[in-house]
Amino acid sequence: MDHLRPSDLAREHGISTQAVRNYERDGFIPLAERTPSGYRTYTEVHATALRAYLALVPAHGHAVSGQIMRSLNAGELDAALTAVDRSHGQLLRDRGTLDAVGQAVEHLTTGPDTAAHAPAGAEPLSVGELAHRLGVTAATLRNWEVAGILAPGREPVTGHRMYGAADIRDAELAHLLRRGGYPLDQIAVVVEQIRTAGGTQALSAALDDWRQRLTARGLSMLHAAARLAQYVALLDSVQTGTS
């Protein structure tokens, strides 16, 4: 394979040579070969790895993208694919939550009773149960309460927090918007709007914005999958000596 300099990889993506070295250090691309004088040299394997990693970031985020690339570079294909699957699953859950919130908004704005009533039949959850359901910590839920996002009731005897159906809905909405990058004070305003069914325009705008973000992430996943497949195929050809 032809040898490439760090500047060759950096120039393709408009990044610094230090960034390339950092990606190597962190295991996102394989270790570079070295010349007798100690200079790094890269090959098409490294270039393809870098293309894959940089395509993964907008699709899966830095942490998951790094996990995927480190697993591949360690020869752990199943671990890499599992990380990809989990990220796709999170996107699917986000879409489901978004649809549920959208339906709630529609009910609040078009239903005969515009008060924010809790859905019937839902069992109250403890702080631990709700935290587990959302994949957050109990401390996070308490922080949301301090910010005015949640207002759970209390169990009469023990005084423990109990989250009814409306509280669960508010928590699902807060979790969705937090993943969309919204600050707590803005989320508190949006949740209050859905509680009172007044002025839902801001909520609808937030949901439209997050839907666009999910669409963009889904498209990024398609692009990243193609880059990742190219890298996996190249690794396989190098290992089997068919390149």
Side-chain angles (χ1 to χ4, degrees):
M1 288 187 180
D2 293 335
H3 289 276
L4 302 170
R5 297 169 299 174
S7 58
D8 296 325
L9 271 66
R11 188 181 306 111
E12 178 181 347
H13 303 285
I15 59 179
S16 67
T17 55
Q18 184 59 52
V20 175
R21 290 191 288 269
N22 290 345
Y23 293 151
E24 178 190 345
R25 177 200 65 199
D26 295 335
F28 304 157
I29 65 175
L31 291 175
E33 299 175 9
R34 296 278 184 163
T35 66
S37 56
Y39 289 105
R40 287 177 171 86
T41 63
Y42 297 105
T43 67
E44 185 58 29
V45 172
H46 299 90
T48 305
L50 184 56
R51 293 182 196 116
Y53 172 70
L54 293 178
L56 285 167
V57 170
H60 302 281
H62 286 88
V64 175
S65 299
Q67 179 184 356
I68 292 168
M69 295 304 295
R70 282 192 294 267
S71 296
L72 286 178
N73 294 330
E76 300 170 352
L77 178 59
D78 285 344
L81 294 178
T82 297
V84 172
D85 290 343
R86 287 197 184 113
S87 189
H88 279 276
Q90 183 63 63
L91 179 62
L92 182 60
R93 287 191 294 274
D94 284 351
R95 289 190 186 280
T97 302
L98 183 62
D99 289 341
V101 173
Q103 291 171 6
V105 173
E106 182 178 359
H107 171 74
L108 289 172
T109 55
T110 64
D113 182 0
T114 57
H117 292 304
E123 292 293 331
L125 300 179
S126 67
V127 63
E129 291 169 336
L130 181 56
H132 178 74
R133 171 172 172 155
L134 297 178
V136 302
T137 65
T140 295
L141 295 179
R142 287 190 282 269
N143 287 339
W144 292 355
E145 185 177 341
V146 172
I149 296 170
L150 300 179
R154 297 280 181 161
E155 206 280 330
V157 177
T158 64
H160 293 165
R161 293 173 174 84
M162 296 302 296
Y163 297 83
D167 302 311
I168 296 169
R169 177 206 61 206
D170 293 346
E172 292 276 10
L173 174 58
H175 194 215
L176 174 72
L177 295 177
R178 280 299 278 169
R179 289 200 299 273
Y182 291 90
L184 292 180
D185 56 349
Q186 186 174 351
I187 295 173
V189 172
V190 171
V191 169
E192 181 61 25
Q193 288 174 342
I194 199 171
R195 281 183 190 147
T196 61
T200 56
Q201 182 177 359
L203 176 59
S204 297
L207 295 180
D208 287 343
D209 177 68
W210 184 231
R211 189 178 300 279
Q212 292 175 8
R213 296 189 191 195
L214 293 184
T215 298
R217 186 179 173 201
L219 292 173
S220 295
M221 284 181 172
L222 289 178
H223 176 63
R227 289 294 193 188
L228 199 60
Q230 291 173 352
Y231 184 49
V232 170
L234 183 56
L235 286 177
D236 185 62
S237 68
V238 170
Q239 292 169 359
T240 58
T242 58
S243 60

mmCIF file of all heavy atoms in Angstrom, residues 85-124:
data_model
loop_
_atom_site.group_PDB
_atom_site.id
_atom_site.type_symbol
_atom_site.label_atom_id
_atom_site.label_comp_id
_atom_site.label_asym_id
_atom_site.label_seq_id
_atom_site.Cartn_x
_atom_site.Cartn_y
_atom_site.Cartn_z
ATOM 1 N N ASP A 85 -25.982 -1.078 16.830
ATOM 2 C CA ASP A 85 -27.377 -1.482 17.050
ATOM 3 C C ASP A 85 -28.010 -0.691 18.189
ATOM 4 O O ASP A 85 -29.172 -0.275 18.095
ATOM 5 C CB ASP A 85 -27.455 -2.977 17.370
ATOM 6 C CG ASP A 85 -27.121 -3.854 16.166
ATOM 7 O OD1 ASP A 85 -27.143 -3.331 15.035
ATOM 8 O OD2 ASP A 85 -26.825 -5.054 16.365
ATOM 9 N N ARG A 86 -27.262 -0.507 19.262
ATOM 10 C CA ARG A 86 -27.799 0.247 20.400
ATOM 11 C C ARG A 86 -28.124 1.678 19.992
ATOM 12 O O ARG A 86 -29.141 2.240 20.405
ATOM 13 C CB ARG A 86 -26.795 0.245 21.549
ATOM 14 C CG ARG A 86 -26.658 -1.089 22.286
ATOM 15 C CD ARG A 86 -25.979 -0.893 23.629
ATOM 16 N NE ARG A 86 -25.762 -2.170 24.297
ATOM 17 C CZ ARG A 86 -24.582 -2.717 24.536
ATOM 18 N NH1 ARG A 86 -23.486 -2.091 24.154
ATOM 19 N NH2 ARG A 86 -24.474 -3.871 25.151
ATOM 20 N N SER A 87 -27.263 2.278 19.203
ATOM 21 C CA SER A 87 -27.491 3.662 18.770
ATOM 22 C C SER A 87 -28.719 3.760 17.875
ATOM 23 O O SER A 87 -29.523 4.683 18.000
ATOM 24 C CB SER A 87 -26.255 4.183 18.036
ATOM 25 O OG SER A 87 -26.357 5.567 17.784
ATOM 26 N N HIS A 88 -28.892 2.785 16.974
ATOM 27 C CA HIS A 88 -30.097 2.759 16.139
ATOM 28 C C HIS A 88 -31.336 2.580 17.013
ATOM 29 O O HIS A 88 -32.384 3.185 16.742
ATOM 30 C CB HIS A 88 -30.003 1.635 15.111
ATOM 31 C CG HIS A 88 -29.183 1.991 13.903
ATOM 32 N ND1 HIS A 88 -29.701 2.683 12.838
ATOM 33 C CD2 HIS A 88 -27.884 1.748 13.601
ATOM 34 C CE1 HIS A 88 -28.756 2.855 11.926
ATOM 35 N NE2 HIS A 88 -27.644 2.303 12.363
ATOM 36 N N GLY A 89 -31.209 1.738 18.041
ATOM 37 C CA GLY A 89 -32.341 1.531 18.943
ATOM 38 C C GLY A 89 -32.721 2.796 19.676
ATOM 39 O O GLY A 89 -33.908 3.076 19.879
ATOM 40 N N GLN A 90 -31.715 3.600 20.067
ATOM 41 C CA GLN A 90 -32.005 4.862 20.740
ATOM 42 C C GLN A 90 -32.727 5.825 19.808
ATOM 43 O O GLN A 90 -33.653 6.524 20.220
ATOM 44 C CB GLN A 90 -30.708 5.510 21.241
ATOM 45 C CG GLN A 90 -30.925 6.810 22.016
ATOM 46 C CD GLN A 90 -31.725 6.603 23.280
ATOM 47 O OE1 GLN A 90 -31.284 5.895 24.192
ATOM 48 N NE2 GLN A 90 -32.903 7.197 23.356
ATOM 49 N N LEU A 91 -32.314 5.843 18.545
ATOM 50 C CA LEU A 91 -32.999 6.702 17.576
ATOM 51 C C LEU A 91 -34.451 6.282 17.423
ATOM 52 O O LEU A 91 -35.352 7.128 17.356
ATOM 53 C CB LEU A 91 -32.285 6.647 16.225
ATOM 54 C CG LEU A 91 -32.906 7.480 15.104
ATOM 55 C CD1 LEU A 91 -32.891 8.963 15.455
ATOM 56 C CD2 LEU A 91 -32.175 7.242 13.782
ATOM 57 N N LEU A 92 -34.692 4.991 17.382
ATOM 58 C CA LEU A 92 -36.065 4.495 17.260
ATOM 59 C C LEU A 92 -36.886 4.880 18.486
ATOM 60 O O LEU A 92 -38.051 5.300 18.362
ATOM 61 C CB LEU A 92 -36.055 2.975 17.074
ATOM 62 C CG LEU A 92 -37.416 2.307 16.876
ATOM 63 C CD1 LEU A 92 -38.110 2.850 15.634
ATOM 64 C CD2 LEU A 92 -37.262 0.792 16.789
ATOM 65 N N ARG A 93 -36.294 4.777 19.677
ATOM 66 C CA ARG A 93 -37.014 5.170 20.895
ATOM 67 C C ARG A 93 -37.300 6.671 20.887
ATOM 68 O O ARG A 93 -38.382 7.105 21.316
ATOM 69 C CB ARG A 93 -36.202 4.777 22.133
ATOM 70 C CG ARG A 93 -36.184 3.285 22.407
ATOM 71 C CD ARG A 93 -35.604 2.961 23.770
ATOM 72 N NE ARG A 93 -34.191 3.295 23.843
ATOM 73 C CZ ARG A 93 -33.202 2.487 23.456
ATOM 74 N NH1 ARG A 93 -33.486 1.296 22.953
ATOM 75 N NH2 ARG A 93 -31.936 2.854 23.574
ATOM 76 N N ASP A 94 -36.341 7.464 20.413
ATOM 77 C CA ASP A 94 -36.560 8.902 20.324
ATOM 78 C C ASP A 94 -37.728 9.218 19.396
ATOM 79 O O ASP A 94 -38.553 10.094 19.686
ATOM 80 C CB ASP A 94 -35.303 9.602 19.813
ATOM 81 C CG ASP A 94 -34.222 9.716 20.876
ATOM 82 O OD1 ASP A 94 -34.516 9.407 22.047
ATOM 83 O OD2 ASP A 94 -33.105 10.120 20.534
ATOM 84 N N ARG A 95 -37.803 8.514 18.279
ATOM 85 C CA ARG A 95 -38.914 8.736 17.342
ATOM 86 C C ARG A 95 -40.247 8.374 18.005
ATOM 87 O O ARG A 95 -41.245 9.077 17.839
ATOM 88 C CB ARG A 95 -38.717 7.911 16.077
ATOM 89 C CG ARG A 95 -37.589 8.398 15.188
ATOM 90 C CD ARG A 95 -37.617 7.671 13.833
ATOM 91 N NE ARG A 95 -36.480 8.019 13.021
ATOM 92 C CZ ARG A 95 -36.380 9.141 12.313
ATOM 93 N NH1 ARG A 95 -37.366 10.030 12.347
ATOM 94 N NH2 ARG A 95 -35.310 9.382 11.575
ATOM 95 N N GLY A 96 -40.261 7.285 18.743
ATOM 96 C CA GLY A 96 -41.490 6.878 19.425
ATOM 97 C C GLY A 96 -41.927 7.892 20.467
ATOM 98 O O GLY A 96 -43.113 8.220 20.569
ATOM 99 N N THR A 97 -40.968 8.390 21.249
ATOM 100 C CA THR A 97 -41.304 9.397 22.249
ATOM 101 C C THR A 97 -41.787 10.680 21.586
ATOM 102 O O THR A 97 -42.751 11.310 22.033
ATOM 103 C CB THR A 97 -40.076 9.694 23.131
ATOM 104 O OG1 THR A 97 -39.639 8.487 23.742
ATOM 105 C CG2 THR A 97 -40.426 10.709 24.208
ATOM 106 N N LEU A 98 -41.120 11.068 20.513
ATOM 107 C CA LEU A 98 -41.520 12.267 19.789
ATOM 108 C C LEU A 98 -42.947 12.138 19.271
ATOM 109 O O LEU A 98 -43.751 13.068 19.375
ATOM 110 C CB LEU A 98 -40.561 12.514 18.631
ATOM 111 C CG LEU A 98 -40.788 13.766 17.791
ATOM 112 C CD1 LEU A 98 -40.629 15.023 18.638
ATOM 113 C CD2 LEU A 98 -39.813 13.802 16.623
ATOM 114 N N ASP A 99 -43.281 10.980 18.713
ATOM 115 C CA ASP A 99 -44.636 10.764 18.218
ATOM 116 C C ASP A 99 -45.658 10.835 19.360
ATOM 117 O O ASP A 99 -46.740 11.403 19.206
ATOM 118 C CB ASP A 99 -44.729 9.405 17.518
ATOM 119 C CG ASP A 99 -43.999 9.386 16.183
ATOM 120 O OD1 ASP A 99 -43.733 10.476 15.635
ATOM 121 O OD2 ASP A 99 -43.686 8.280 15.698
ATOM 122 N N ALA A 100 -45.282 10.247 20.512
ATOM 123 C CA ALA A 100 -46.201 10.268 21.658
ATOM 124 C C ALA A 100 -46.447 11.686 22.152
ATOM 125 O O ALA A 100 -47.575 12.064 22.467
ATOM 126 C CB ALA A 100 -45.633 9.405 22.784
ATOM 127 N N VAL A 101 -45.382 12.482 22.215
ATOM 128 C CA VAL A 101 -45.542 13.870 22.650
ATOM 129 C C VAL A 101 -46.367 14.646 21.630
ATOM 130 O O VAL A 101 -47.229 15.460 21.989
ATOM 131 C CB VAL A 101 -44.165 14.530 22.854
ATOM 132 C CG1 VAL A 101 -44.314 16.017 23.139
ATOM 133 C CG2 VAL A 101 -43.421 13.857 24.003
ATOM 134 N N GLY A 102 -46.121 14.389 20.346
ATOM 135 C CA GLY A 102 -46.900 15.056 19.308
ATOM 136 C C GLY A 102 -48.382 14.749 19.431
ATOM 137 O O GLY A 102 -49.232 15.634 19.254
ATOM 138 N N GLN A 103 -48.705 13.498 19.747
ATOM 139 C CA GLN A 103 -50.106 13.116 19.929
ATOM 140 C C GLN A 103 -50.698 13.819 21.144
ATOM 141 O O GLN A 103 -51.866 14.229 21.129
ATOM 142 C CB GLN A 103 -50.205 11.605 20.079
ATOM 143 C CG GLN A 103 -49.888 10.844 18.797
ATOM 144 C CD GLN A 103 -49.786 9.344 19.013
ATOM 145 O OE1 GLN A 103 -50.057 8.844 20.108
ATOM 146 N NE2 GLN A 103 -49.397 8.617 17.975
ATOM 147 N N ALA A 104 -49.863 13.968 22.191
ATOM 148 C CA ALA A 104 -50.343 14.665 23.386
ATOM 149 C C ALA A 104 -50.641 16.130 23.068
ATOM 150 O O ALA A 104 -51.653 16.685 23.507
ATOM 151 C CB ALA A 104 -49.309 14.569 24.500
ATOM 152 N N VAL A 105 -49.779 16.744 22.291
ATOM 153 C CA VAL A 105 -50.005 18.132 21.900
ATOM 154 C C VAL A 105 -51.286 18.253 21.083
ATOM 155 O O VAL A 105 -52.095 19.156 21.287
ATOM 156 C CB VAL A 105 -48.804 18.667 21.097
ATOM 157 C CG1 VAL A 105 -49.104 20.051 20.530
ATOM 158 C CG2 VAL A 105 -47.560 18.715 21.968
ATOM 159 N N GLU A 106 -51.461 17.320 20.155
ATOM 160 C CA GLU A 106 -52.671 17.351 19.324
ATOM 161 C C GLU A 106 -53.918 17.202 20.187
ATOM 162 O O GLU A 106 -54.923 17.887 19.979
ATOM 163 C CB GLU A 106 -52.618 16.247 18.269
ATOM 164 C CG GLU A 106 -53.809 16.243 17.325
ATOM 165 C CD GLU A 106 -53.697 15.169 16.264
ATOM 166 O OE1 GLU A 106 -52.685 14.442 16.253
ATOM 167 O OE2 GLU A 106 -54.636 15.043 15.456
ATOM 168 N N HIS A 107 -53.857 16.316 21.175
ATOM 169 C CA HIS A 107 -55.003 16.117 22.062
ATOM 170 C C HIS A 107 -55.295 17.394 22.857
ATOM 171 O O HIS A 107 -56.459 17.786 23.027
ATOM 172 C CB HIS A 107 -54.727 14.962 23.021
ATOM 173 C CG HIS A 107 -55.760 14.818 24.111
ATOM 174 N ND1 HIS A 107 -57.012 14.312 23.869
ATOM 175 C CD2 HIS A 107 -55.713 15.132 25.423
ATOM 176 C CE1 HIS A 107 -57.706 14.318 24.997
ATOM 177 N NE2 HIS A 107 -56.931 14.803 25.952
ATOM 178 N N LEU A 108 -54.213 18.033 23.327
ATOM 179 C CA LEU A 108 -54.399 19.226 24.137
ATOM 180 C C LEU A 108 -54.973 20.389 23.339
ATOM 181 O O LEU A 108 -55.697 21.223 23.877
ATOM 182 C CB LEU A 108 -53.061 19.649 24.749
ATOM 183 C CG LEU A 108 -52.524 18.735 25.859
ATOM 184 C CD1 LEU A 108 -51.121 19.157 26.234
ATOM 185 C CD2 LEU A 108 -53.428 18.757 27.077
ATOM 186 N N THR A 109 -54.609 20.446 22.046
ATOM 187 C CA THR A 109 -55.035 21.596 21.247
ATOM 188 C C THR A 109 -56.345 21.361 20.506
ATOM 189 O O THR A 109 -57.005 22.319 20.102
ATOM 190 C CB THR A 109 -53.952 21.955 20.216
ATOM 191 O OG1 THR A 109 -53.653 20.800 19.417
ATOM 192 C CG2 THR A 109 -52.685 22.425 20.900
ATOM 193 N N THR A 110 -56.748 20.100 20.333
ATOM 194 C CA THR A 110 -57.961 19.826 19.559
ATOM 195 C C THR A 110 -59.025 19.075 20.339
ATOM 196 O O THR A 110 -60.157 18.991 19.896
ATOM 197 C CB THR A 110 -57.623 19.008 18.297
ATOM 198 O OG1 THR A 110 -57.113 17.720 18.685
ATOM 199 C CG2 THR A 110 -56.600 19.725 17.451
ATOM 200 N N GLY A 111 -58.646 18.502 21.499
ATOM 201 C CA GLY A 111 -59.606 17.706 22.249
ATOM 202 C C GLY A 111 -60.675 18.551 22.889
ATOM 203 O O GLY A 111 -60.533 19.764 23.050
ATOM 204 N N PRO A 112 -61.781 17.916 23.291
ATOM 205 C CA PRO A 112 -62.882 18.657 23.901
ATOM 206 C C PRO A 112 -62.527 19.234 25.259
ATOM 207 O O PRO A 112 -63.083 20.234 25.685
ATOM 208 C CB PRO A 112 -63.998 17.604 24.011
ATOM 209 C CG PRO A 112 -63.281 16.284 24.019
ATOM 210 C CD PRO A 112 -62.095 16.476 23.129
ATOM 211 N N ASP A 113 -61.592 18.573 25.940
ATOM 212 C CA ASP A 113 -61.160 19.079 27.247
ATOM 213 C C ASP A 113 -59.683 19.400 27.147
ATOM 214 O O ASP A 113 -58.858 18.514 27.022
ATOM 215 C CB ASP A 113 -61.390 18.006 28.330
ATOM 216 C CG ASP A 113 -60.995 18.506 29.712
ATOM 217 O OD1 ASP A 113 -60.549 19.668 29.820
ATOM 218 O OD2 ASP A 113 -61.142 17.725 30.654
ATOM 219 N N THR A 114 -59.329 20.658 27.177
ATOM 220 C CA THR A 114 -57.939 21.050 26.953
ATOM 221 C C THR A 114 -57.102 21.062 28.218
ATOM 222 O O THR A 114 -55.957 21.499 28.196
ATOM 223 C CB THR A 114 -57.876 22.453 26.313
ATOM 224 O OG1 THR A 114 -58.562 23.374 27.158
ATOM 225 C CG2 THR A 114 -58.502 22.446 24.942
ATOM 226 N N ALA A 115 -57.622 20.605 29.318
ATOM 227 C CA ALA A 115 -56.804 20.491 30.520
ATOM 228 C C ALA A 115 -55.856 19.317 30.365
ATOM 229 O O ALA A 115 -56.165 18.322 29.738
ATOM 230 C CB ALA A 115 -57.699 20.283 31.755
ATOM 231 N N ALA A 116 -54.673 19.443 30.947
ATOM 232 C CA ALA A 116 -53.648 18.402 30.795
ATOM 233 C C ALA A 116 -53.921 17.271 31.774
ATOM 234 O O ALA A 116 -53.276 17.141 32.802
ATOM 235 C CB ALA A 116 -52.259 18.996 31.054
ATOM 236 N N HIS A 117 -54.905 16.421 31.429
ATOM 237 C CA HIS A 117 -55.219 15.287 32.285
ATOM 238 C C HIS A 117 -54.248 14.146 32.041
ATOM 239 O O HIS A 117 -53.743 13.972 30.943
ATOM 240 C CB HIS A 117 -56.644 14.798 32.009
ATOM 241 C CG HIS A 117 -57.700 15.781 32.446
ATOM 242 N ND1 HIS A 117 -57.800 16.261 33.721
ATOM 243 C CD2 HIS A 117 -58.703 16.371 31.736
ATOM 244 C CE1 HIS A 117 -58.826 17.103 33.816
ATOM 245 N NE2 HIS A 117 -59.377 17.186 32.615
ATOM 246 N N ALA A 118 -54.019 13.354 33.072
ATOM 247 C CA ALA A 118 -53.175 12.178 32.925
ATOM 248 C C ALA A 118 -53.921 11.088 32.172
ATOM 249 O O ALA A 118 -55.124 10.949 32.335
ATOM 250 C CB ALA A 118 -52.777 11.670 34.324
ATOM 251 N N PRO A 119 -53.207 10.304 31.350
ATOM 252 C CA PRO A 119 -53.839 9.172 30.700
ATOM 253 C C PRO A 119 -54.360 8.190 31.736
ATOM 254 O O PRO A 119 -53.730 7.965 32.776
ATOM 255 C CB PRO A 119 -52.692 8.558 29.876
ATOM 256 C CG PRO A 119 -51.698 9.670 29.725
ATOM 257 C CD PRO A 119 -51.815 10.485 30.968
ATOM 258 N N ALA A 120 -55.512 7.607 31.443
ATOM 259 C CA ALA A 120 -56.133 6.693 32.404
ATOM 260 C C ALA A 120 -55.376 5.377 32.475
ATOM 261 O O ALA A 120 -54.804 4.916 31.504
ATOM 262 C CB ALA A 120 -57.579 6.432 31.994
ATOM 263 N N GLY A 121 -55.375 4.782 33.656
ATOM 264 C CA GLY A 121 -54.877 3.426 33.816
ATOM 265 C C GLY A 121 -53.396 3.305 34.079
ATOM 266 O O GLY A 121 -52.890 2.196 34.213
ATOM 267 N N ALA A 122 -52.650 4.381 34.125
ATOM 268 C CA ALA A 122 -51.212 4.301 34.337
ATOM 269 C C ALA A 122 -50.914 4.178 35.830
ATOM 270 O O ALA A 122 -51.479 4.894 36.642
ATOM 271 C CB ALA A 122 -50.521 5.531 33.763
ATOM 272 N N GLU A 123 -50.018 3.247 36.167
ATOM 273 C CA GLU A 123 -49.643 3.036 37.561
ATOM 274 C C GLU A 123 -48.551 4.029 37.948
ATOM 275 O O GLU A 123 -47.624 4.274 37.173
ATOM 276 C CB GLU A 123 -49.136 1.608 37.761
ATOM 277 C CG GLU A 123 -50.194 0.535 37.612
ATOM 278 C CD GLU A 123 -51.234 0.589 38.723
ATOM 279 O OE1 GLU A 123 -50.884 1.031 39.838
ATOM 280 O OE2 GLU A 123 -52.383 0.206 38.463
ATOM 281 N N PRO A 124 -48.620 4.616 39.141
ATOM 282 C CA PRO A 124 -47.556 5.524 39.580
ATOM 283 C C PRO A 124 -46.223 4.790 39.690
ATOM 284 O O PRO A 124 -46.171 3.587 39.980
ATOM 285 C CB PRO A 124 -48.040 5.999 40.955
ATOM 286 C CG PRO A 124 -49.517 5.741 40.957
ATOM 287 C CD PRO A 124 -49.721 4.518 40.123
#
